[in-house]
Amino acid sequence: MSVRKIIFAVVLIPFFIGNLCAQKEANNWYFGNKAAMHFNTLTGNPVAIGNSVMNTYEGCSSISNRLTGGLLFYTDGSTIYNRNHVAMTNGTGLNGHNSSSHSSVVIPYPGNKTKYIIFTIPSTPNNGAKYSVVDMTLSSGLGAVVATQKNVQLATSPTNTTVYPVPDKCAAISHRNGRDYWVVVQHNTNWSLYAYLVTSSGVSNRPVISTVTPIGTGNIRHVGCMKFSGDGKKLVSEYPNNSRSILLFDFNSSTGVFSNQILLQKTSSWYPYGVEWSPNSKYFYVNSPGIQQFDPYAGTAAQIMASELSIATYTRYGSLQLGPDKKIYAVRSGSKIISRIDSPDVRGVGCAFKDTALLLTSNAMGRLGLPTFVQSFFSTTTLEVKDACDSSWVKISVKDTSAVDSVLYVYGDTASKKNSSWNKLDSHIFSGPGKYEVIAYAYYTDKKSKVVIDTLRDTVEVLQIPKVVLPGDTTICVEDSIYGLITNLKYAGTVQRYWQDSSQNVWYQIDTI
């Protein structure tokens, strides 16, 4: 009689992620008709303010001090207003337009703490996309546009600066190195995506060009927003006047290449205008009208469309924008009401939509637009902990080590012989299982040569080594049937579990030997 032995095997891999947040570049929002709000409160809840002098129908952007959250300037893409709400020196006549879905986006100049690059997108495609450089050391610290770097045409190659047409959309995200940036625009005629790398040397004149299959004949028509996911892995671009469509792409933030184009379409009642991603990048939200939630990882285009869940039904929402508080804000066009999704990482109605989250000041009115920001402003500095069981090394680092002079980590592990470190990239073995509050004191030098300390906090959980309880090895005869045998896995702690064939179910069914 022939017998065989069945041996059960499972691998457990712990995985934890904690977040540290300090960036405050997006703490001031200026938009609409003299509408404004800021997030510089102890609670982080936004407050409406009435000091704006700007009136824009759609596109706008603003930038704040990354450490203090103080306003630096804001713009409708044509005029830049300084923190005193006066037109900035040499800050008029920019190439953007207040009726462009994304009239502008402000990029911190890599390696320079006092300069910013403003990319401007016109309402008329043939005007092309351009950029201008703002130097905050000019005009007694109020900033000015550098005369020799104003309305510089984005090139298609080092030898070709011919204006090429662009639709009214753009998006920006950090390079994977955490130091540089990508700014993306689209060719209005051939639909190709142009990704421009921004480094300490400036804006590259050799864009990474990704071919796009047009979703209809002719040019891209006016209206529709474009947005990166916060993790930089995907991009959504909307074309309400081109077959009521959305295009979804994968993005490589190291190379600037777009791939895996997916077309999402619906009936003639669909008009996708505003778009935003959940902080965890697992869902995106569309105003089309009303607000809907989609799962971009559902599978095929049909499966992604089938994942649609209605969040709100009001018909006159404009842009959607993630805030520093990790909540998504929706502007009601022609109203003082700002709506909000309080828990956008949650699937379905559990995302907690709030119809009236904030009322603008008496002199203000919301229009279609909210500010355009670098999407990675809302990505917290990530503390990744892999294989973080008891007695394992825990990797610890601030996201952008180049942006700080030095960092002091205090692990909250008082029983350890080494409870702190000055290494920018560090790791630590915690003294035992439990939760530990890690504090990072990041040191910067401001433009007045004054040392500034930024404090980041997070809680890291170290788990006991998982205990696996499996049945004993089983010996059976070949003639015996074991179809339907189900073996349960019992484990302790938050882990990812893998059976010998890489499946992750809590049970393992055997039907052959």
Side-chain angles (χ1 to χ4, degrees), residues 10 12 389 463-470 489-493 495:
V10 65
L12 300 181
C389 289
L463 301 181
Q464 290 183 344
I465 297 176
K467 296 180 179 179
V468 181
V469 179
L470 290 173
L489 166 65
K490 297 180 180 180
Y491 61 93
V495 297

Side-chain angles (χ1 to χ4, degrees), residues 77-381:
S78 300
T79 299
I80 308 172
Y81 301 93
N82 64 29
R83 65 175 179 269
N84 289 340
H85 312 286
V86 176
M88 180 178 285
T89 302
N90 199 28
T92 60
L94 270 65
N95 193 60
H97 195 279
N98 65 18
S99 188
S100 174
S101 298
H102 296 286
S103 67
S104 56
V105 63
V106 183
I107 310 295
Y109 205 116
N112 191 313
K113 298 177 182 179
T114 62
K115 287 186 177 181
Y116 296 87
I117 304 175
I118 304 178
F119 289 79
T120 52
I121 310 298
S123 176
T124 304
N126 289 336
N127 288 343
K130 296 179 171 63
Y131 70 89
S132 303
V133 176
V134 171
D135 188 340
M136 292 304 298
T137 65
L138 302 177
S139 296
S140 301
L142 291 174
V145 175
V146 179
T148 57
Q149 295 179 292
K150 181 177 180 179
N151 287 332
V152 180
Q153 170 65 37
L154 286 179
T156 57
S157 73
T159 59
N160 188 353
T161 58
T162 303
V163 176
Y164 62 94
V166 294
D168 58 337
K169 55 183 96 256
C170 70
I173 194 73
S174 290
H175 188 282
R176 188 169 295 174
N177 63 22
R179 178 182 62 252
D180 303 324
Y181 296 92
W182 293 104
V183 176
V184 176
V185 297
Q186 192 166 20
H187 197 292
N188 195 64
T189 304
N190 63 30
W191 293 63
S192 294
L193 291 169
Y194 287 63
Y196 288 88
L197 183 61
V198 183
T199 70
S200 58
S201 298
V203 181
S204 172
N205 61 1
R206 193 186 296 273
V208 179
I209 302 175
S210 299
T211 301
V212 175
T213 301
I215 58 178
T217 58
N219 298 338
I220 298 173
R221 299 177 64 187
H222 184 73
V223 178
C225 295
M226 174 187 286
K227 197 74 65 78
F228 276 109
S229 59
D231 61 7
K233 294 181 179 180
K234 289 187 178 293
L235 177 91
V236 164
S237 190
E238 298 175 319
Y239 310 89
N241 290 325
N242 291 90
S243 304
R244 315 283 181 172
S245 304
I246 287 177
L247 288 181
L248 177 67
F249 301 91
D250 289 343
F251 182 66
N252 186 321
S253 61
S254 289
T255 65
V257 172
F258 291 91
S259 60
N260 191 28
Q261 174 181 330
I262 296 177
L263 171 61
L264 307 176
Q265 284 182 310
K266 208 174 178 182
T267 64
S268 59
S269 63
W270 209 35
Y271 196 81
Y273 174 79
V275 63
E276 186 54 284
W277 289 83
S278 60
N280 64 7
S281 300
K282 290 184 177 180
Y283 308 111
F284 67 88
Y285 294 80
V286 173
N287 157 33
S288 62
I291 300 176
Q292 297 82 39
Q293 182 193 73
F294 292 86
D295 179 0
Y297 294 96
T300 64
Q303 290 170 323
I304 294 173
M305 290 303 298
S307 75
E308 175 187 2
L309 294 174
S310 177
I311 303 303
T313 59
Y314 183 74
T315 59
R316 286 184 58 80
Y317 289 114
S319 293
L320 306 176
Q321 179 58 53
L322 185 64
D325 57 357
K326 308 303 178 189
K327 300 176 182 180
I328 295 177
Y329 289 82
V331 60
R332 280 195 173 199
S333 181
S335 167
K336 297 184 183 300
I337 296 176
I338 302 296
S339 302
R340 186 173 68 203
I341 301 172
D342 282 343
S343 302
D345 285 339
V346 177
R347 182 71 170 136
V349 295
C351 70
F353 176 79
K354 183 178 293 183
D355 183 72
T356 302
L358 183 72
L359 291 176
L360 300 173
T361 56
S362 59
N363 66 327
M365 185 71 67
R367 306 293 289 275
L368 281 179
L370 287 173
T372 301
F373 294 105
V374 177
Q375 198 66 2
S376 44
F377 283 172
F378 308 100
S379 295
T380 54
T381 298

Side-chain angles (χ1 to χ4, degrees), residues 456-491:
L456 314 174
R457 298 174 184 271
D458 189 41
T459 299
V460 174
E461 184 175 5
V462 178
L463 301 181
Q464 290 183 344
I465 297 176
K467 296 180 179 179
V468 181
V469 179
L470 290 173
D473 296 347
T474 302
T475 301
I476 64 171
C477 296
V478 172
E479 292 82 2
D480 292 344
S481 173
I482 59 171
Y483 179 81
L485 175 63
I486 296 177
T487 303
N488 289 315
L489 166 65
K490 297 180 180 180
Y491 61 93

